Amino acid sequence: MGATLQGILPDREIAALFQAGALSSTRERDGDQIQPASLDLRLGPVAYRVRASFLPGGGHSVEDKLERFALHEFSLEGGAVLETGCVYVVPLMERLALPDHVRATANPKSSTGRLDIFTRVLADHTQEFDKVPAGYRGPLYLEISPRTFPILVREGSRLSQIRFRCGEPTLSASELTELHELARLTTAEAANISDAGIALSIDLSGDAGTLVGYRGKRHTGLVDVDRRAAYPLADYWEPIARRGTGELVLDPDEFYILVSKEAVHVPPDHAAEMTPFDPLVGEFRVHYAGFFDPGFGHSQAGGAGSRAVLEVRSHDVPFILEDGQIVGRLVYERMAARPDRLYGADLASNYQAQGLKLSKHFV
């Protein structure tokens, strides 16, 4: 792979990283592991319950810190339950030997965020979560902390994904405005665009009594992260009805699934990432940043604009969300090349043309 590429690496370039030895794995790659602009990461065969979350920092490997902070080591080969409120670290199957011009960032997969599973990727000697510097050679680990539901995971479960980038692909406000005029990135009548991205607001409008979102129940059964359509929605979620006032009171430390007012569109030659909103505007945050693949909401890929599902949590104090309030921003980045397969069109994508939708585990 040449150093001339600029942007987010598409599927075929991720495959090329494997062929070049820049990406390797302890087990043969899953057939659907490479996404249009990212790679799913798989849990290895062992996990560690740790005393607290940690960063390795400049002088240490993750293994060094595990020797200090691990409370218990256990196998994931036959499956294991991860309890809410606990922190675990799992070595991943994938290992990196990145070229000097390629760096990487990680994020929870959509379904991981919708289950309120807090995950962050760790790499040796790093001082930030979810960021892997250019030229990094070494193992990857996943910190996992289920927040609402206990979960069942096993070796090979995929909770997180990683993107590879070259150069500086992020669009400026002026470039984003130009792309919006060309490709209509949001259905908002007056798009709120800044260097921080394009604003997403919350949809709380509509008739009293209709469904506006869900709140996670406490003390539920577990969720097997690899099972689809296996759990009754009513056992895990409390539906929230609109009150007709365009407002919703967020209770502290409760987990909510809501939806954006705007439908959004990611053109095939771009990728996007949702970033948590500035906490200075309210005592809440969209809890999980997330990757949006090329083709998300793209009409030719079966999307015709798709809403962004928002995982929202209030901190410390109750907070009143109002209809149309900004809750996050989408940052757009150029792809180094158009992917061979688009989200929705060529993949069995779970969330294309979505509205308010829980993760694929519930029926």
Side-chain angles (χ1 to χ4, degrees), residues 1 39 46 73 81 95 107-108 131 136 139 146 148 236 246 251 269 282 293 299 302 307 309 314 326 337 362:
M1 187 188 63
L39 173 75
V46 295
E73 177 183 338
V81 174
R95 184 181 179 92
N107 245 321
K131 292 191 177 177
Y136 175 76
T148 297
Y236 292 82
D251 291 323
D269 50 357
D293 274 331
S299 57
R307 305 283 194 97
V309 169
S314 181
I326 295 174
F362 300 102

Side-chain angles (χ1 to χ4, degrees), residues 50-328:
V50 294
R51 200 164 71 202
S53 177
F54 62 82
L55 274 166
H60 301 278
S61 68
V62 176
E63 195 172 330
D64 292 339
K65 291 294 179 83
L66 283 174
E67 287 179 10
R68 287 183 59 196
F69 301 131
L71 300 174
H72 174 56
E73 177 183 338
F74 56 98
S75 172
L76 296 183
E77 290 183 47
V81 174
L82 306 187
E83 301 285 356
T84 57
C86 299
V87 183
Y88 304 88
V89 173
V90 181
L92 295 169
M93 289 185 186
E94 286 70 38
R95 184 181 179 92
L96 300 180
L98 292 178
D100 289 341
H101 63 285
V102 178
R103 64 192 188 281
T105 55
N107 245 321
K109 288 176 61 66
S110 295
S111 295
T112 305
R114 291 186 206 191
L115 288 174
D116 199 19
I117 307 167
F118 195 63
T119 70
R120 301 189 286 199
V121 166
L122 292 161
D124 289 344
H125 313 298
T126 52
Q127 295 177 302
E128 293 179 277
F129 292 108
D130 284 334
K131 292 191 177 177
V132 183
Y136 175 76
R137 307 177 75 85
L140 297 172
Y141 301 79
L142 190 65
E143 176 190 295
I144 308 169
S145 183
R147 305 293 300 276
T148 297
F149 312 121
I151 59 171
L152 179 65
V153 300
R154 57 188 59 77
E155 182 181 13
S157 293
R158 288 144 56 169
L159 300 180
S160 189
Q161 55 195 343
I162 193 166
R163 253 180 199 175
F164 303 93
R165 49 171 58 75
C166 305
E168 297 299 335
T170 305
L171 300 190
S172 66
S174 60
E175 290 169 327
L176 195 52
T177 301
E178 194 175 314
L179 182 63
H180 176 58
E181 288 171 358
L182 189 70
R184 189 81 177 147
L185 305 178
T186 170
T187 55
E189 286 186 22
N192 180 321
I193 295 173
S194 72
D195 282 325
I198 193 162
L200 291 177
S201 66
I202 196 78
D203 184 9
L204 299 176
S205 63
D207 296 334
T210 57
L211 183 70
V212 71
Y214 296 94
R215 178 166 51 202
K217 290 186 174 182
R218 302 282 186 175
H219 316 296
T220 66
L222 61 77
V223 176
D224 183 334
V225 299
D226 298 321
R227 289 187 69 194
R228 289 170 179 260
Y231 301 100
L233 181 156
D235 291 352
Y236 292 82
W237 298 97
E238 178 188 338
I240 303 170
R242 290 181 171 87
R243 297 169 56 208
T245 59
E247 298 172 347
L248 176 66
V249 178
L250 301 177
D251 291 323
D253 292 322
E254 296 291 329
F255 180 67
Y256 297 84
I257 298 285
L258 303 169
V259 72
S260 68
K261 202 169 188 65
E262 307 83 9
V264 298
H265 169 217
V266 183
D269 50 357
H270 287 77
E273 181 176 349
M274 184 153 61
T275 58
F277 197 51
D278 184 351
L280 296 177
V281 302
E283 203 43 51
F284 73 94
R285 69 179 261 152
V286 175
H287 196 51
Y288 298 95
F291 290 153
F292 285 64
D293 274 331
F296 181 87
H298 188 57
S299 57
Q300 292 170 6
S306 293
R307 305 283 194 97
V309 169
L310 307 163
E311 300 102 1
V312 179
R313 189 182 279 280
S314 181
H315 300 309
D316 300 331
V317 296
F319 188 82
I320 297 174
L321 272 184
E322 298 187 69
D323 182 59
Q325 188 164 351
I326 295 174
V327 290

